[in-house]
């Protein structure tokens, strides 16, 4: 099985520091680092426009850029890149500031050897990948929720779900709108939820029977406070009762 290869863009104008960084990265056998070198932000941006890099290691103080502006220049033109900042001994506070502007981490020159550099780079790389996966999942979830909201509005129905394990009832935003309930009632204990309906005990029996027998069905309930009536069409399986709510 071949070793993982990662493309690194090293932005460093000091020849000695650049040599040392390449040497340190070259000691790694897994992963293997393929290093491209730029001495200025301008040269780095040109390389970024033509290539894709897994990791960017950048000094902050370069001939054409200084301090936090270096990171801003890179990430404003090429957002979504993993940047690790290289700082001098007197620049650690500025290094922390670069993290607030999008850098993943910072390393202080003279305070690391090859093992520390490689482990720090790989930790930042894995964390960066995980964050991107989380962002991707969150985006997909938001898209699915948006589709669900659209369907509910078109059909004028709300979604409701009861989980036996947690004993909680979940209501979608559109369910809250249809039933005239507050946003803080999106998740509620089953006893509190059923307690808002007339004939609470009878309704509890209906829910219990649905969960015991499984399958699909429907029931109607009336609210105590305003007398409004709602129909629930449900499917019960695996300890959950999922359904749609509609005003009658």
């Amino acid at each position: 099985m071949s070793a993982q290869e990662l493309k690194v863009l090293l932005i460093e104008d000091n020849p000695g520091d650049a040599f040392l960084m390449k040497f340190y990265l070259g000691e790694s056998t897994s992963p293997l680092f393929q290093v491209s070198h730029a001495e200025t932000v301008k040269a780095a941006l040109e390389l970024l426009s033509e290539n894709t890099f897994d990791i960017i290691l950048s000094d902050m103080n370069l001939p054409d850029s200084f301090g936090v502006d270096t990171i801003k220049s890179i990430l404003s033109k090429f957002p979504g890149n993993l940047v690790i900042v290289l700082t001098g001994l007197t620049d650690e506070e500025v290094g922390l500031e670069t993290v607030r502007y999008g850098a993943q981490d910072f390393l202080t020159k003279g305070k690391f050897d090859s093992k520390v550099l490689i482990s720090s780079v790989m930790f930042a790389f894995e964390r960066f990948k995980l964050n991107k996966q989380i962002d991707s999942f969150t985006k997909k979830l938001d898209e699915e929720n948006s589709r669900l909201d659209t369907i509910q509005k078109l059909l004028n129905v709300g979604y409701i779900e009861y989980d036996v394990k947690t004993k909680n009832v979940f209501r979608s935003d559109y369910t809250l709108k249809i039933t005239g309930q507050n946003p803080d009632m999106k998740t509620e204990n089953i006893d509190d939820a059923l307690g808002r309906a007339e004939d609470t005990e009878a309704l509890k029996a209906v829910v219990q029977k649905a969960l015991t027998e499984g399958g699909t069905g429907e029931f109607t309930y009336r609210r105590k406070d305003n007398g409004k009536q709602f129909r629930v069409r449900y499917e019960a399986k695996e300890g959950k009762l999922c359904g749609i709510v509609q005003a009658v």
Side-chain angles (χ1 to χ4, degrees), residues 8-55:
V8 177
L9 174 57
L10 174 62
I11 312 172
E12 175 61 73
D13 65 318
N14 184 297
D17 289 340
F19 173 83
L20 191 61
M21 295 296 293
K22 291 177 185 177
F23 177 78
Y24 282 165
L25 293 173
E27 290 196 327
S28 175
T29 57
S30 181
L32 296 174
F33 293 103
Q34 181 183 336
V35 183
S36 298
H37 181 209
E39 296 184 354
T40 63
V41 168
K42 181 181 179 182
L45 294 177
E46 290 175 355
L47 286 172
L48 284 165
S49 67
E50 299 169 355
N51 304 275
T52 300
F53 294 94
D54 298 298
I55 302 157

Side-chain angles (χ1 to χ4, degrees), residues 94-133:
V94 182
L96 283 170
E97 188 177 0
T98 64
V99 173
R100 291 194 289 270
Y101 282 98
Q104 190 71 200
D105 202 352
F106 74 95
L107 295 168
T108 304
K109 294 178 182 180
K111 287 191 174 182
F112 58 83
D113 56 15
S114 60
K115 289 183 179 180
V116 173
L117 172 63
I118 292 167
S119 63
S120 297
V121 167
M122 290 310 299
F123 178 78
F125 177 69
E126 294 300 332
R127 183 177 58 196
F128 184 74
K129 279 202 311 180
L130 179 60
N131 286 337
K132 291 193 77 171
Q133 290 172 356

